[in-house]
Amino acid sequence: MIKQSFSEKNIRKLYDLEYRKGNNLEKIYFPDVVILTEKISYIKKKIKNYLRMNKHDFGKLIALKYYRKIKKEFEKEKEELLVKRLELISLNILSNNYEISLSHNKLKGKDIYTANTDTPEIFFLLKQLQFNLKNLYAIKQANRNFLLSQLKIILSNGFPKMTFKIDISSFYESISRVDVIQTIKDDPKLSLQTKKTICYIFECLEKKYANKIGIPRGIGLSAYLAEHYMKSFDDFFKTHPECSYYSRYVDDIIIVFNPASDMSIKNIEKEYLGIINDQLKKKQLKLNNHKKVVIKDNMNKTFDYLGYTFHIKNGNLEKINLTQKRYDNYIQKIELCFRSYSRQFKKCPNKANIMLKSRLRYLTSNTRLVHNKKNVMTGIYFSNQFITDYSQLSDLDIYLQNKVNSINNPSLQTQLTSFSFKIGFEEKIYVNFPQKFIKEIQQLWKYSV
């Protein structure tokens, strides 16, 4: 139960974890701590400058000693202040001195709820709840690259198979809230504070929005509750003797069966669909028949999964492309780059040239996400590495070159001609972008695509 507590120690762990992710909570919740951070940064620059000076300079040694002492004092003061702030947050949470406020929006016809995290109490409260569920139930977010690499192998192995690409209808809205709440209440391993808080969130939802069904989309906690709810469903297919591959990413599911019986193809399909529907029925869920794809031997079909289009020929994988949606996103990003260039060029041509080159270089190359513990790479190759047909990359290059040719600036045209989606993919071209610059580059299309 200690690991589940909302203690200052646990909140500090969450604080440090968010910092490693690049989420600077100081600027959001602790402005007085920011002041000390800025002072420490200033002193560090002073120390760095003195270190560049002549090492035999006596005055330099005196100054270094002074600034290092001041730095330690500021660091100690900052740590003490941060501890006080986190202790107060812990005290407020444990004494229920907080109020959860939920807001509601619509996105693509679905109800989306968000928790107001203006106060640090709510932010850390929700993060600790997620941490508790994740660790207690050993919930791990599915690794997209692992799922895709395994699927690619399975679909290419040449063995007789029947593949089901299915989608659960209104997934979050169909999950039994009664079952979820009862499971939480009955679990002796969950702390009382965790149980009460989760139930309180559902009470807020019901009281403010008269929402009594499913679990709320948009709240991070819901993803963990949904994963726990689906565990028995996942386990059934992962251990089914005729199932050679099973993966579920939220409500998007792939199941590959290797039929062992001599039944007709039609009967086998009916039998497997019956099994799938029976398992969904146990969870009070339904199949979205409009998105269902069934692929049998000697069949040619395509289906989309996790951003890729899989082309099946004679029952086996022929090639993998980007989905049309992902391809169109690249086209739109190129368009936005040149529209922004045209607007900015009238006021500040030099800045416009720099930003256009930077944005196109970013789109056609690869870089490393900073402040990330796993040093995750992103870019034209690392975000699309499972494609096996490069024709779309060539099409993107043609589209980009046509836009470049429309610029009335021969020098800039020459520079932009070197940018290529296909070359950036094949050669895994890497460019090191400062984090602040990446944010400026991405800002253009962040809310447009």
Side-chain angles (χ1 to χ4, degrees):
M1 295 298 182
I2 295 174
K3 289 184 178 180
Q4 297 181 47
S5 73
F6 298 86
S7 64
E8 180 273 327
K9 184 179 179 181
N10 282 345
I11 290 174
R12 180 57 184 266
K13 288 179 180 178
L14 294 172
Y15 175 91
D16 292 338
L17 182 62
E18 291 298 310
Y19 180 80
R20 288 197 294 272
K21 290 179 181 177
N23 189 6
N24 191 341
L25 299 181
E26 281 184 22
K27 292 183 178 180
I28 303 172
Y29 300 121
F30 312 115
D32 48 356
V33 177
V34 170
I35 293 172
L36 288 169
T37 299
E38 289 173 348
K39 288 181 178 180
I40 293 168
S41 179
Y42 174 77
I43 297 299
K44 283 182 177 178
K45 287 179 183 178
K46 283 282 188 181
I47 293 173
K48 191 174 181 180
N49 289 334
Y50 276 109
L51 286 172
R52 291 176 182 152
M53 294 171 60
N54 187 339
K55 63 181 180 179
H56 300 297
D57 189 330
F58 182 72
K60 163 195 162 179
L61 298 176
I62 298 296
L64 274 175
K65 185 177 180 180
Y66 169 76
Y67 281 118
R68 282 169 174 162
K69 178 185 176 184
I70 296 297
K71 175 174 166 284
K72 285 183 179 181
E73 289 175 357
F74 279 143
E75 287 174 339
K76 182 181 178 182
E77 186 180 349
K78 175 186 173 180
E79 179 63 22
E80 290 174 349
L81 180 59
L82 183 59
V83 169
K84 285 181 181 179
R85 295 290 175 266
L86 298 181
E87 284 177 345
L88 181 60
I89 291 168
S90 173
L91 182 63
N92 286 336
I93 292 175
L94 293 171
S95 59
N96 296 319
N97 186 20
Y98 62 85
E99 183 177 347
I100 295 178
S101 173
L102 301 175
S103 59
H104 169 258
N105 283 295
K106 285 273 189 180
L107 182 64
K108 297 181 181 179
K110 300 291 186 182
D111 292 303
I112 307 294
Y113 299 91
T114 52
N116 186 341
T117 55
D118 286 347
T119 65
E121 283 78 10
I122 301 303
F123 177 86
F124 286 107
L125 174 77
L126 295 175
K127 286 292 180 181
Q128 185 64 43
L129 288 175
Q130 293 175 33
F131 178 86
N132 294 348
L133 293 176
K134 178 183 178 181
N135 284 274
L136 183 63
Y137 297 131
I139 295 171
K140 290 184 179 179
Q141 186 178 18
N143 185 303
R144 294 168 65 99
N145 286 351
F146 177 77
L147 296 181
L148 289 163
S149 62
Q150 293 297 304
L151 180 60
K152 185 177 178 181
I153 293 169
I154 290 293
L155 294 178
S156 305
N157 63 17
F159 292 113
K161 64 179 74 67
M162 186 171 289
T163 304
F164 292 81
K165 163 68 172 64
I166 61 176
D167 181 89
I168 298 173
S169 183
S170 300
F171 179 55
Y172 280 98
E173 293 77 10
S174 299
I175 290 175
S176 172
R177 184 181 299 182
V178 173
D179 287 355
V180 168
I181 292 176
Q182 198 59 52
T183 300
I184 294 298
K185 287 181 176 179
D186 292 344
D187 195 331
K189 293 179 288 186
L190 277 174
S191 69
L192 184 60
Q193 179 83 14
T194 299
K195 293 179 183 181
K196 282 184 175 181
T197 310
I198 292 173
C199 292
Y200 171 61
I201 291 172
F202 282 117
E203 288 170 8
C204 291
L205 192 67
E206 189 171 330
K207 184 178 180 181
K208 186 172 182 180
Y209 298 105
N211 184 316
K212 299 181 180 180
I213 60 171
I215 56 177
R217 288 178 184 265
I219 298 177
L221 182 67
S222 294
Y224 293 92
L225 293 173
E227 288 302 305
H228 181 55
Y229 184 77
M230 292 297 290
K231 189 176 186 306
S232 59
F233 181 89
D234 297 339
D235 290 344
F236 175 86
F237 287 102
K238 286 178 180 178
T239 57
H240 192 283
E242 293 180 25
C243 180
S244 59
Y245 177 85
Y246 170 84
S247 69
R248 179 180 60 79
Y249 198 86
V250 190
D251 59 348
D252 215 359
I253 303 171
I254 299 278
I255 307 175
V256 180
F257 290 103
N258 293 110
S261 65
D262 295 327
M263 296 171 64
S264 68
I265 292 293
K266 187 175 181 180
N267 286 340
I268 291 175
E269 179 183 347
K270 186 176 179 180
E271 179 185 324
Y272 287 148
L273 276 174
I275 292 171
I276 293 169
N277 281 313
D278 284 345
Q279 293 304 310
L280 287 173
K281 190 175 180 180
K282 289 180 181 179
K283 309 302 295 184
Q284 302 177 52
L285 301 171
K286 291 182 180 180
L287 199 66
N288 186 342
N289 286 307
H290 296 293
K291 294 186 177 181
K292 180 186 70 180
V293 179
V294 182
I295 305 169
K296 309 164 192 175
D297 278 343
N298 303 316
M299 183 178 279
N300 300 335
K301 273 197 178 183
T302 63
F303 66 87
D304 292 348
Y305 189 59
L306 301 183
Y308 295 91
T309 298
F310 289 77
H311 297 259
I312 307 299
K313 187 174 183 179
N314 296 326
N316 287 294
L317 183 63
E318 179 190 24
K319 62 181 180 179
I320 303 174
N321 288 127
L322 302 178
T323 59
Q324 190 62 44
K325 181 179 179 182
R326 186 179 282 193
Y327 175 82
D328 290 343
N329 278 348
Y330 277 110
I331 293 293
Q332 188 174 352
K333 286 178 178 179
I334 295 171
E335 277 290 332
L336 289 169
C337 286
F338 283 91
R339 286 181 198 171
S340 177
Y341 169 77
S342 297
R343 290 193 303 268
Q344 195 173 25
F345 187 81
K346 297 174 184 177
K347 297 180 179 180
C348 188
N350 289 336
K351 177 72 171 177
N353 291 343
I354 291 170
M355 290 311 300
L356 181 60
K357 285 189 288 185
S358 298
R359 285 177 176 136
L360 294 179
R361 182 180 285 113
Y362 182 82
L363 278 179
T364 57
S365 64
N366 303 276
T367 192
R368 191 181 304 278
L369 294 177
V370 299
H371 294 307
N372 190 288
K373 194 176 180 181
K374 297 180 181 178
N375 290 320
V376 174
M377 298 288 288
T378 186
I380 188 60
Y381 172 77
F382 290 98
S383 298
N384 309 292
Q385 59 186 285
F386 292 98
I387 62 172
T388 58
D389 174 32
Y390 301 165
S391 59
Q392 289 171 312
L393 299 179
S394 298
D395 291 343
L396 287 173
D397 283 341
I398 293 170
Y399 188 87
L400 174 58
Q401 190 57 51
N402 287 335
K403 299 298 292 186
V404 169
N405 291 339
S406 69
I407 296 177
N408 188 23
N409 185 331
S411 175
L412 182 60
Q413 280 185 350
T414 301
Q415 295 175 61
L416 297 180
T417 300
S418 64
F419 298 147
S420 165
F421 287 93
K422 188 176 180 183
I423 294 174
F425 182 93
E426 291 179 328
E427 298 183 8
K428 302 183 185 65
I429 292 174
Y430 175 82
V431 179
N432 186 23
F433 291 95
Q435 180 65 10
K436 289 183 179 179
F437 201 40
I438 289 178
K439 288 182 179 179
E440 188 177 1
I441 291 170
Q442 292 177 332
Q443 194 65 34
L444 174 66
W445 53 68
K446 186 175 182 180
Y447 301 106
S448 303
V449 178

